[in-house]
């Protein structure tokens, strides 16, 4: 026994310096020497050159876009002489505590980033670029669905939450706990206590999180409606949820840049009264000659915005002629009654365009929407762009600063109405990934930046999933997935009652 222990100690003492050497070798930083000074900006991935960021965002690690680079070095400095340095063989990886300290010290100011890359012929140092640190913080986190971008079947998928100040991600609920598809997650202004979640498949249901944290499974299909309630949006009071019901189909173009088309054959709107368990219906939002979809409440809760298009005749299959406008109807939160007339806010068909995904800022100042050539499922339209509507003047403008040459789609506002998160295919044309831009009180928009990752090139190259329906959350969801799975797998569904208004 003593001999065995002695041998173990000798082996350990031999390996200890070797282990220490390997650890130190992995952490070795080369001195950037004899560097060639370049007059051009560095081509980095993700493109963080000149972006505006919140002070509480996770470190913006990046790589050289040129994968032949053997090392990358970055130094971030402020006007007071404080600096932050990182170097790596694949990407820079800033210390998270030092990063947050530097950003906190420079809220409302800019930082200077100097990047050097070691290529086959030695070091190259590129022209420095700024990072603008906004005085406006961003919410605690982001919630999204991760799904393979297939068209007919799904496999593993789930709803996940990400801490925006770090790289921590956790599953809210995954379909490994039941047989079905999870989608249409929604919160009331980012508050996880008010949560709606839709399940499709043989265990179909709409899950509503109650004020006590419990989860109830509802059957949202009624004899008076087209189908299940989808596309939820909470009233600011938390008492109501606006839904649409849609008969949705999918088709494929034989020769077209947008190969997949998802469209409605019929759709209506309704509002659910959470307190009274009543689905509020009105004929004005249930017209056979009109497709109504994507309902959202205004910031004050007294209006309902939605998208509307003239329905195609049954013998007409020209999907590229379906174009949606932005419309509005009054809503009385005290009685749950709707107005008697519909107002067109943005006549997109007059521009030979179609409008989808209206999202008003929570301060009531702006409304962000997506504009594409036709239809309402803009996520597959490469020409889709974000637009900003000034609700005080009625003027709209293209958010050129944030848009790209590929699809910009689903979006949501931060609770302070200063940040917009949206889905974009700009990275590779295949997968949607979350991007953020800042919108100030005057409607000025900044260049968008991709959701940071510890090693972004490796992360986005190895994760073959799309980020779907990103939404801000103000705190961890603390969602009980086991309780939710029991409710999903149980056959019991609570039914909606219906209240009609003339």
């Amino acid at each position: 026994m003593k001999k065995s222990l002695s041998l173990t100690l000798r082996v350990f003492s031999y390996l200890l310096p070797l282990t220490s050497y390997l650890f130190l070798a992995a952490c070795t930083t080369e001195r950037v020497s004899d560097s060639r000074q370049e007059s051009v900006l560095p081509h980095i991935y993700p493109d963080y050159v000149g972006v505006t960021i919140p002070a509480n965002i996770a470190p913006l690690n990046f790589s050289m876009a040129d994968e032949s680079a053997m090392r990358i070095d970055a130094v971030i400095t402020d006007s007071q002489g404080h600096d932050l340095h990182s170097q790596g063989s694949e990407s820079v990886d800033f210390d998270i505590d030092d990063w947050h300290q530097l950003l906190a010290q420079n809220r409302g100011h800019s930082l200077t980033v100097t990047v050097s890359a070691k290529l086959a012929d030695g070091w190259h140092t590129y022209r420095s670029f700024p990072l603008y640190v906004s005085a406006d913080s961003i919410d605690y986190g982001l919630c999204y669905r991760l799904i393979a971008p297939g068209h007919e079947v799904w496999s593993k998928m789930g709803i996940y939450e990400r801490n925006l100040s770090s790289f921590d991600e956790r599953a809210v609920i995954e379909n490994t706990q039941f047989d079905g598809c999870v989608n249409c997650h929604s919160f009331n202004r980012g508050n996880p206590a008010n949560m709606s979640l839709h399940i499709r498949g043989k265990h179909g249901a709409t899950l509503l999180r109650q004020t006590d944290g419990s989860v109830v499974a509802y059957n949202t299909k009624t004899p008076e409606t087209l189908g299940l309630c989808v596309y939820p949006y909470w009233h600011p009071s938390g008492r109501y949820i606006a839904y649409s019901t849609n008969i949705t189909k999918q088709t494929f173009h034989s020769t077209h840049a947008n190969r997949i088309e998802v469209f409605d054959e019929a759709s209506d709107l309704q509002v659910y009264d959470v307190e009274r368990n009543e689905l509020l219906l009105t004929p004005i939002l249930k017209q056979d000659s009109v497709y109504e979809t994507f309902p959202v409440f205004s910031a004050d809760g007294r209006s309902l915005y939605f998208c509307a298009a003239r329905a195609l005749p049954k013998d007409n299959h020209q999907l590229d002629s379906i174009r949606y406008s932005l419309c509005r109807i009054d809503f009385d939160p005290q009685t749950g009654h709707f107005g008697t007339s519909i107002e067109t806010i943005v006549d997109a068909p007059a521009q030979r365009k179609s409008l989808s995904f209206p999202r008003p800022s929570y301060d009531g100042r702006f409304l962000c929407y997506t504009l594409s050539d036709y239809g309402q499922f803009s996520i597959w339209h490469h020409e889709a762009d974000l637009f900003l509507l000034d609700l005080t003047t009625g003027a709209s403008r293209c958010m050129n600063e944030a848009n790209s040459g590929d699809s910009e789609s689903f979006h949501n506002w931060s609770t302070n109405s200063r940040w917009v998160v949206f889905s974009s295919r700009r990275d590779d044309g295949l997968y949607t990934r979350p991007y953020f831009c800042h919108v100030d009180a005057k409607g000025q928009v900044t260049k968008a930046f991709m959701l940071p990752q510890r090693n972004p090139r490796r992360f986005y190259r190895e994760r073959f999933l799309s980020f779907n329906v990103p939404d801000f959350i103000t705190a961890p969801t603390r969602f009980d997935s086991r309780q939710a799975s029991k409710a999903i797998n149980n056959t019991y569904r609570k039914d909606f009652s219906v209240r009609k208004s003339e």
Side-chain angles (χ1 to χ4, degrees), residues 6-41:
S6 175
L7 178 61
T8 301
L9 290 173
R10 286 201 302 271
V11 171
F12 179 76
S13 63
Y14 172 78
L15 290 177
L16 183 60
L18 179 61
T19 304
S20 301
Y21 170 78
L22 291 173
F23 175 76
L24 291 172
C27 298
T28 299
T29 299
E30 290 188 21
R31 186 168 65 90
V32 179
S33 59
D34 301 323
S35 182
R36 178 185 301 176
Q37 300 299 309
E38 303 288 354
S39 61
V40 297
L41 291 167

Side-chain angles (χ1 to χ4, degrees), residues 275-286:
E275 291 182 4
R276 303 179 65 173
N277 190 36
E278 288 183 335
L279 202 60
L280 311 179
L281 306 181
T282 177
I284 198 171
L285 297 176
K286 195 173 166 45

Side-chain angles (χ1 to χ4, degrees), residues 40 78 90 103 133 195 203 212 226 243 298 350 361 382 398 450:
V40 297
D78 66 8
E90 193 168 284
L103 265 61
V133 184
M195 182 178 178
H203 298 291
D212 62 358
L226 291 171
Y243 288 105
S298 60
S361 59
H382 297 291
C398 185
M450 185 190 283

Side-chain angles (χ1 to χ4, degrees), residues 10-221:
R10 286 201 302 271
V11 171
F12 179 76
S13 63
Y14 172 78
L15 290 177
L16 183 60
L18 179 61
T19 304
S20 301
Y21 170 78
L22 291 173
F23 175 76
L24 291 172
C27 298
T28 299
T29 299
E30 290 188 21
R31 186 168 65 90
V32 179
S33 59
D34 301 323
S35 182
R36 178 185 301 176
Q37 300 299 309
E38 303 288 354
S39 61
V40 297
L41 291 167
H43 190 194
I44 60 174
Y45 177 83
D47 179 10
Y48 290 141
V49 175
V51 298
T52 298
I53 59 175
N56 57 331
I57 196 70
L60 267 61
N61 297 336
F62 55 85
S63 306
M64 293 300 295
D66 182 356
E67 296 189 34
S68 68
M70 295 177 284
R71 294 193 72 78
I72 179 172
D73 182 280
V75 179
I76 304 178
T77 59
D78 66 8
S79 60
Q80 304 301 313
H82 303 116
D83 63 53
L84 183 61
H85 178 232
S86 181
Q87 187 184 113
S89 58
E90 193 168 284
S91 71
V92 293
D93 185 3
F94 297 108
D95 180 89
I96 192 167
D97 294 328
D98 293 342
W99 167 271
H100 283 304
Q101 182 178 354
L102 184 64
L103 265 61
Q105 293 170 344
N106 289 276
R107 294 176 72 108
H109 301 285
S110 63
L111 302 170
T112 300
V113 184
T114 303
V115 175
S116 301
K118 186 178 182 181
L119 306 177
D121 61 349
W123 284 98
H124 295 247
T125 298
Y126 299 89
R127 181 155 59 94
S128 299
F129 63 85
L131 279 181
Y132 302 101
V133 184
S134 173
D136 299 313
S137 295
I138 205 164
D139 289 317
Y140 157 80
L142 198 67
C143 193
Y144 41 80
R145 180 172 69 159
L146 289 175
I147 183 172
H151 316 307
E152 294 186 18
V153 297
W154 68 74
S155 54
K156 179 184 176 181
M157 67 167 68
I159 307 296
Y160 300 83
E161 63 180 79
R162 160 72 187 268
N163 184 338
L164 289 177
S165 294
S166 69
F167 303 108
D168 296 337
E169 180 188 81
R170 64 173 293 273
V172 176
I173 187 169
E174 295 176 314
N175 69 343
T176 53
Q177 299 164 288
F178 55 90
D179 182 13
C181 164
V182 289
N183 65 346
C184 289
H185 58 281
S186 177
F187 309 93
N188 183 11
R189 300 190 178 209
N191 181 2
N194 294 135
M195 182 178 178
S196 174
L197 177 66
H198 189 59
I199 309 296
R200 285 189 295 187
K202 65 180 182 181
H203 298 291
T206 292
L207 303 185
L208 289 184
R209 192 178 197 179
Q210 311 297 299
T211 54
D212 62 358
S214 62
V215 175
V216 177
Y218 286 83
N219 170 30
T220 62
K221 172 71 173 71

Side-chain angles (χ1 to χ4, degrees), residues 250-268:
Q250 178 179 264
T251 189
F252 296 84
H253 296 288
S254 57
T255 56
H256 198 283
N258 303 320
R259 300 300 295 274
I260 303 108
E261 200 62 51
V262 179
F263 61 97
D264 287 339
E265 287 188 336
S267 55
D268 295 323

